[in-house]
Amino acid sequence: MKIEMTPEEHARLHRRRGRQALGLVIAVLVLIGVLTVLHAGVNAVAKLFDDTAQKQEYEDKLEGLVLFDPVPFEGIENIDDLTLREAAVWGCVYSIQETQGGFDGYNTDPDTEQLLIPSVDVDAYLAKLVGPSFRMTHKTFEMEDMTVEFDDTTQCYKIPVTGSVGSYRATVTKLFKKDGLLHVTVGYIPNQNAMDSILTTTSDTPVKYMDYLFSRQSGSWYLTGLTESETKPESTASSTAAEPAMMADSEVQDAILATGGETPADSDAASSEAAAVSGEADSTAESEAASDAEPQAESAASVAA
């Protein structure tokens, strides 16, 4: 049976299909919008907790100090003067190498061909580390196996040609705040004595950790101290965990009894008893000797008379 539709019914059918198609498009757009918002939210949260860039920033700041393994200090004014000079000059050299890829823009001494680092560059590096108010007097200083000369005329440091400098390089492992200070936990990675680079390393495993302390001044964080870190190297933690646990006294005695041996208390008692018997035997022997000696003495006295 053929059913015929009136023009009005055809029009209503087309309008219904149009509304359905529009609804489907809107639903797809809403779904896309929701997914986009969720993706943006996840990225925002990830960026909020991702401190990779901040860690790299502090690695660059502290590389010069870590090279020379400074001793702990409280207050930047109490840091060893030589260590600070070594860190300022060689930290600046490292920073230039990392940020500029080389020293093409720097001059060299015409006689010695040593690299010339302007004091203003050293001041700029130091200001990022300890604050712009800190001032270091520039002068020649002696290191363990070299001399870093400062030229008053050119106001430049003459950097010796060397295959290696410093003992460690830095890797920042953790950032946290405590008692109003920013703690930057730094792992110390030993440097390799290589002629082609002063920063080549043999391993990426830190052999120790130190916490560099930063205080907030004028909206920025500047170095104010150095202390030992609660983080320990993996080898130290493993050796501590591998140490055997001590047995309690009761457990030791039970173990001795289980093998039919004597306990320490039994041994002490036996030793005391043996000593007592020996003492009695000595006393008896001395008494007998004294008794034998008396007649002999009387005989000797009679003969003498």
Side-chain angles (χ1 to χ4, degrees):
M1 180 178 178
K2 185 177 181 181
I3 299 176
E4 295 183 359
M5 299 180 63
T6 62
E8 291 80 5
E9 291 174 338
H10 275 288
R12 283 197 300 270
L13 180 60
H14 284 297
R15 287 195 297 269
R16 186 183 303 115
R17 289 176 178 174
R19 288 193 299 268
Q20 291 173 346
L22 179 60
L24 179 61
V25 171
I26 293 175
V28 171
L29 293 177
V30 169
L31 180 60
I32 293 174
V34 170
L35 293 176
T36 302
V37 171
L38 288 175
H39 181 69
V42 171
N43 287 340
V45 172
K47 289 181 180 180
L48 182 63
F49 291 96
D50 184 10
D51 57 358
T52 302
Q54 194 176 13
K55 287 180 179 179
Q56 185 61 52
E57 176 187 351
Y58 282 99
E59 281 184 12
D60 295 340
K61 286 182 179 181
L62 296 170
E63 191 70 40
L65 274 175
V66 175
L67 280 172
F68 302 101
D69 191 17
V71 297
F73 61 89
E74 293 184 9
I76 194 63
E77 68 278 1
N78 296 320
I79 190 174
D80 178 70
D81 182 73
L82 176 59
T83 301
L84 182 62
R85 293 182 184 280
E86 291 173 332
V89 173
W90 290 103
C92 180
V93 171
Y94 168 84
S95 179
I96 293 170
Q97 187 178 32
E98 286 294 302
T99 58
Q100 303 181 24
F103 306 96
D104 294 338
Y106 290 82
N107 297 323
T108 57
D109 184 88
D111 297 325
T112 63
E113 296 186 354
Q114 292 178 326
L115 178 67
L116 300 178
I117 299 295
S119 60
V120 292
D121 286 12
V122 177
D123 288 334
Y125 171 81
L126 203 56
K128 293 179 180 179
L129 179 63
V130 299
S133 61
F134 186 87
R135 291 289 181 269
M136 184 180 73
T137 302
H138 297 288
K139 63 180 181 180
T140 299
F141 60 91
E142 298 285 338
M143 295 178 61
E144 183 177 352
D145 55 355
M146 71 181 72
T147 298
V148 178
E149 181 183 351
F150 180 71
D151 190 337
D152 290 320
T153 303
T154 61
Q155 289 292 299
C156 289
Y157 284 96
K158 297 180 179 180
I159 307 302
V161 179
T162 176
S164 63
V165 64
S167 302
Y168 303 96
R169 74 176 179 91
T171 176
V172 174
T173 60
K174 184 168 56 176
L175 303 170
F176 64 96
K177 294 179 182 178
K178 182 180 180 181
D179 299 331
L181 297 176
L182 174 64
H183 289 238
V184 180
T185 302
V186 179
Y188 283 55
I189 300 176
N191 272 342
Q192 173 185 352
N193 292 328
M195 296 303 294
D196 57 340
S197 173
I198 65 173
L199 298 170
T200 305
T201 59
T202 57
S203 172
D204 288 333
T205 302
V207 295
K208 71 172 184 177
Y209 293 86
M210 300 292 287
D211 278 4
Y212 286 81
L213 311 180
F214 288 76
S215 62
R216 195 171 183 83
Q217 305 172 26
S218 303
S220 299
W221 294 95
Y222 297 112
L223 181 66
T224 188
L226 172 64
T227 185
E228 293 185 2
S229 176
E230 294 180 357
T231 304
K232 302 302 178 184
E234 294 180 2
S235 57
T236 302
S238 300
S239 61
T240 302
E243 291 180 355
M246 297 296 293
M247 295 178 65
D249 292 341
S250 60
E251 294 177 345
V252 174
Q253 293 179 359
D254 292 341
I256 294 174
L257 292 174
T259 57
E262 294 181 348
T263 64
D266 294 336
S267 298
D268 293 341
S271 299
S272 299
E273 184 177 352
V277 172
S278 176
E280 292 177 359
D282 293 341
S283 298
T284 303
E286 290 176 358
S287 299
E288 293 176 353
S291 299
D292 294 339
E294 288 178 358
Q296 295 177 0
E298 292 176 356
S299 300
S302 300
V303 172

